[in-house]
Amino acid sequence: MARDEGWLAEHMLIVGIEDPKGEKTYLAAAFPSSCGKTNLAMLVPPKGMEGWKVSTVGDDIAWIKPDENGRLRAINPEAGFFGVAQERR
């Protein structure tokens, strides 16, 4: 389905990192299976980095394609975290 719609589908981690001023930067990284993507996606900023936030778009599968302006867009076609991690509430 991804290919038919023009998306690149890959095992990728996508996280948003927000600084204390509220500026969010997204990081996408391609890693092989069973290498710790889910652990990295569940990152909690350590003590001393108050005000920083990490949010997960996807921890296992990402679909990526450029929009009409050439900016990369990504979605997570799955809901929640990959099956090896329990969802935090």
Side-chain angles (χ1 to χ4, degrees):
M1 182 186 332
R3 182 189 66 223
D4 292 344
E5 294 180 10
W7 295 89
L8 168 65
E10 188 57 72
H11 286 281
M12 293 191 79
L13 159 76
I14 304 173
V15 294
I17 302 170
E18 186 176 328
D19 69 21
K21 296 177 185 174
E23 184 174 338
K24 190 178 253 188
T25 301
Y26 289 92
L27 168 75
F31 293 111
S33 295
S34 302
C35 72
K37 291 186 302 292
T38 300
N39 292 335
L40 184 56
M42 295 174 21
L43 182 71
V44 175
K47 191 173 189 174
M49 294 191 73
E50 289 78 12
W52 287 85
K53 299 176 186 173
V54 178
S55 57
T56 303
V57 176
D59 71 318
D60 186 51
I61 301 293
W63 290 5
I64 300 173
K65 74 175 177 178
D67 67 12
E68 59 278 351
N69 297 315
R71 285 186 78 177
L72 285 179
R73 300 296 178 176
I75 61 170
N76 173 9
E78 301 175 331
F81 285 99
F82 186 65
V84 297
Q86 293 183 359
E87 189 172 339
R88 294 167 59 182
R89 295 181 192 257

